Amino acid sequence: MKRILALLMLTLLGSHPLLAIEERDISTFMQNNIDLATTILRDKKIQKPEKSEKLFAIFDSIFDYTLMAQLALGGKQWASLSASKQTEFTKLFEQKLKVSYMEKLDLYTDEKIVIKNLEKIKDARIHLTTHLMKNSEVYEIIYKFYKDKNNSWMIYDVDILGVSIIQTYRTQFADILAKEPFETLLEKLKQPDEPAPKK
Amino acid sequence: MRLILACLLSFSLIFASEYIGTTSYSNDDFEAEFTTKNDANLFDPLSGYNEIMTTFNDNFYEYLLRPTAQGYAYVMPQMARNGIANFFDNLFFPIRFVNNLLQLKFYNGWEETERFVLNSTMGILGFRDVAGEELGIKAHDEDLGQTLGHYGVGSGFHVVLPFFGPSNVRDIAGLAGDMWLNPINYIEARDANLLDSTEESLATTAFYTINKTSLHVKEYDNFKKDAIELYPFLRNFYESRRNKLISE
């Protein structure tokens, strides 16, 4: 038991953003993270809020939320915002992603995740393909990494069954901003659980 | 032990928060990656109608389909519902088989045939997916829309169909073709019909839909919660998913 805990701590340490993730380490690193996340998910003794807190500690070190927020909004729109608005939007967007993830936790039963393939798309892009197995069904999840300015590999998007999370938000944000001001978008992000009722 | 863990956790949180708001990227690569299917040049001539139809379908689901499916799930044990879903999936074999062949996926077509024979006999009319569970032979879901896409037919603009939900010009053409192969449709011009009338066909399709919905209510509700704007959310999901299925 102690040994396992020590291992867990090591992986936690390993997930630290200060230690840049090297290209050759991505597979092992992600496998460790996935294993760790699965252990947390399966632990019936941990309550849900604590569970997600632990999981987010892992995610925070590998997801580049700022870039994700920027990509979801689109470069032009992003550039037109003041720094404080950018930060506010990023925070809300990060929160939206996390709330959405937390809601998925209820659906978790005993799925296994295995790493299938690591593909270097170009110099600064890597796609890591994983398979999630649930009652003999297989779902493909692709984590998309890029090399940030610290030469560390960070995730900027996730494809689930061929659907990009960033693209999903991007189309919705574009749709909202085509009709309404930016403030409305912020308002909508603040109430993540209620899809806006149609007039 | 706990304390150390908590310390570690808070550390990674602190460092993570340093990331927020510090950098601004002007990477054209990223923009290009997500602009390809971008919304400004997205051709969506029916968007007005589509939005209304999305709302209609959503109301249909919320106020009719879901309550019915939940009531049905209350009286029908899950095992039976799984069996019924398997039974229908087995019936749809002709659609998958023909479209696998049309795409020259002969091995997949062969596996589909194996599945149909095994499940219809040992699986007792398809109620049990023996081939999938015992032998690991999986279904290869293909439809005519995918076949058309496979041969390079573009999706055309997005159309939301009443009851069916999101679709596009190509997939509607596909849907029309697949109707011919669908055993639970009643088509007078067809030589063999499993059912005797359009009414029976509609009732069967309704039953199939209620049964299938009852198995996925939780997932769908959870999925829908992610939406900020339902129409673009579903449109993007549908189109991306279809592209992925066609590429497989």
Side-chain angles (χ1 to χ4, degrees):
Chain A
M1 190 59 210
K2 264 206 168 142
R3 194 175 282 172
I4 297 169
L5 280 174
L7 261 174
L8 282 182
M9 284 177 55
L10 270 178
T11 32
L12 257 183
L13 271 176
S15 67
H16 220 276
L18 280 188
L19 307 172
I21 308 159
E22 302 276 338
E23 186 188 333
R24 61 189 145 78
D25 300 333
I26 287 186
S27 278
T28 3
F29 174 76
M30 281 301 282
Q31 189 64 64
N32 289 341
N33 274 323
I34 288 168
D35 291 346
L36 176 60
T38 320
T39 324
I40 297 172
L41 279 169
R42 289 205 179 139
D43 195 335
K44 291 207 175 75
K45 276 173 275 171
I46 315 177
Q47 289 303 303
K48 200 177 144 195
E50 198 186 339
K51 218 176 231 186
S52 33
E53 201 174 306
K54 285 187 172 175
L55 290 168
F56 293 148
I58 305 174
F59 300 156
D60 284 346
S61 64
I62 30 174
F63 281 86
D64 189 337
Y65 296 119
T66 313
L67 178 60
M68 290 171 95
Q70 186 184 336
L71 291 173
L73 198 57
K76 245 189 240 159
Q77 184 67 36
W78 179 266
S80 72
L81 296 177
S82 67
S84 64
K85 282 282 165 218
Q86 287 179 351
T87 317
E88 187 185 358
F89 176 75
T90 306
K91 285 223 173 89
L92 284 172
F93 184 65
E94 179 184 338
Q95 195 192 340
K96 169 85 190 159
L97 288 175
K98 287 183 170 172
V99 167
S100 149
Y101 180 83
M102 261 159 69
E103 284 164 358
K104 303 286 172 298
L105 285 184
D106 293 334
L107 295 177
Y108 184 87
T109 42
D110 58 345
E111 291 83 352
K112 265 191 234 106
I113 302 173
V114 288
I115 291 179
K116 276 289 154 195
N117 182 34
L118 184 139
E119 189 187 359
K120 196 156 188 183
I121 305 295
K122 35 184 154 166
D123 256 5
R125 296 280 192 290
I126 282 178
H127 286 186
L128 184 82
T129 307
T130 63
H131 282 179
L132 185 144
M133 327 247 231
K134 182 185 187 181
N135 330 319
S136 81
E137 302 258 358
V138 175
Y139 302 92
E140 190 185 79
I141 300 173
I142 301 177
Y143 296 94
K144 299 193 218 161
F145 290 82
Y146 83 107
K147 203 198 268 186
D148 75 356
K149 55 182 178 13
N150 305 323
N151 276 334
S152 181
W153 290 88
M154 302 285 281
I155 296 172
Y156 68 93
D157 190 13
V158 182
D159 266 12
I160 301 169
L161 302 171
V163 183
S164 146
I165 289 188
I166 295 300
Q167 191 72 44
T168 303
Y169 284 109
R170 199 172 158 114
T171 35
Q172 294 180 81
F173 293 161
D175 189 88
I176 294 169
L177 290 174
K179 295 176 245 170
E180 283 159 294
F182 186 73
E183 291 303 322
T184 317
L185 175 58
L186 288 181
E187 281 307 311
K188 286 189 175 181
L189 275 175
K190 276 176 196 159
Q191 337 150 331
D193 271 10
E194 328 237 321
K198 290 275 169 195
K199 293 130 254 170
Chain B
M1 184 60 225
R2 268 234 160 133
L3 197 75
I4 302 169
L5 212 70
C7 277
L8 281 175
L9 282 175
S10 52
F11 261 119
S12 19
L13 277 175
I14 290 168
F15 284 109
S17 57
E18 270 184 5
Y19 267 67
I20 294 167
T22 49
T23 38
S24 177
Y25 305 81
S26 52
N27 203 328
D28 296 336
D29 259 18
F30 279 121
E31 280 303 314
E33 185 177 336
F34 291 102
T35 319
T36 39
K37 313 163 253 178
N38 197 14
D39 334 281
N41 5 331
L42 182 90
F43 184 55
D44 193 1
L46 293 184
S47 62
Y49 154 83
N50 282 343
E51 274 189 37
I52 294 168
M53 198 42 86
T54 303
T55 313
F56 170 79
N57 282 341
D58 189 46
N59 285 332
F60 171 72
Y61 170 79
E62 288 285 333
Y63 298 111
L64 205 62
L65 184 54
R66 185 175 54 193
T68 314
Q70 281 172 330
Y72 166 76
Y74 186 74
V75 292
M76 196 69 121
Q78 174 149 13
M79 232 176 76
R81 286 182 284 135
N82 276 328
I84 292 164
N86 286 342
F87 167 78
F88 278 111
D89 281 339
N90 193 51
L91 267 189
F92 297 145
F93 158 75
I95 301 178
R96 293 189 299 268
F97 178 68
V98 169
N99 283 297
N100 270 304
L101 290 194
L102 286 175
Q103 294 178 41
L104 310 181
K105 294 174 175 167
F106 296 115
Y107 186 71
N108 291 357
W110 165 243
E111 285 202 329
E112 276 297 331
T113 315
E114 281 184 310
R115 281 178 58 82
F116 183 67
V117 171
L118 287 170
N119 289 346
S120 303
T121 51
M122 276 157 61
I124 311 160
L125 294 176
F127 280 98
R128 249 198 80 200
D129 180 11
V130 185
E133 283 164 20
E134 307 286 333
L135 301 166
I137 308 172
K138 298 267 179 284
H140 301 281
D141 230 338
E142 299 287 353
D143 53 56
L144 195 54
Q146 288 184 55
T147 303
L148 294 172
H150 179 76
Y151 288 107
V153 178
S155 60
F157 51 81
H158 192 75
V159 185
V160 179
L161 295 171
F163 307 113
F164 279 89
S167 192
N168 55 42
V169 175
R170 179 198 58 215
D171 292 340
I172 290 175
L175 218 56
D178 285 333
M179 297 242 292
W180 187 266
L181 295 168
N182 187 342
I184 65 169
N185 277 333
Y186 175 77
I187 304 167
E188 225 167 305
R190 199 165 60 181
D191 284 339
N193 274 308
L194 209 60
L195 303 167
D196 295 330
S197 67
T198 311
E199 290 78 43
E200 279 183 28
S201 160
L202 283 176
T204 313
T205 310
F207 176 58
Y208 162 74
T209 310
I210 291 165
N211 183 68
K212 179 130 189 171
T213 308
S214 78
L215 291 166
H216 299 286
V217 167
K218 235 170 134 188
E219 280 94 342
Y220 181 72
D221 287 351
N222 207 311
F223 165 75
K224 224 181 70 177
K225 265 193 186 170
D226 284 347
I228 304 168
E229 286 285 321
L230 196 56
Y231 169 58
F233 177 77
L234 291 177
R235 181 189 63 204
N236 176 69
F237 176 82
Y238 180 81
E239 298 292 344
S240 308
R241 182 77 192 123
R242 290 297 287 178
N243 286 338
K244 174 76 177 169
L245 286 173
I246 288 164
S247 75
E248 272 173 356

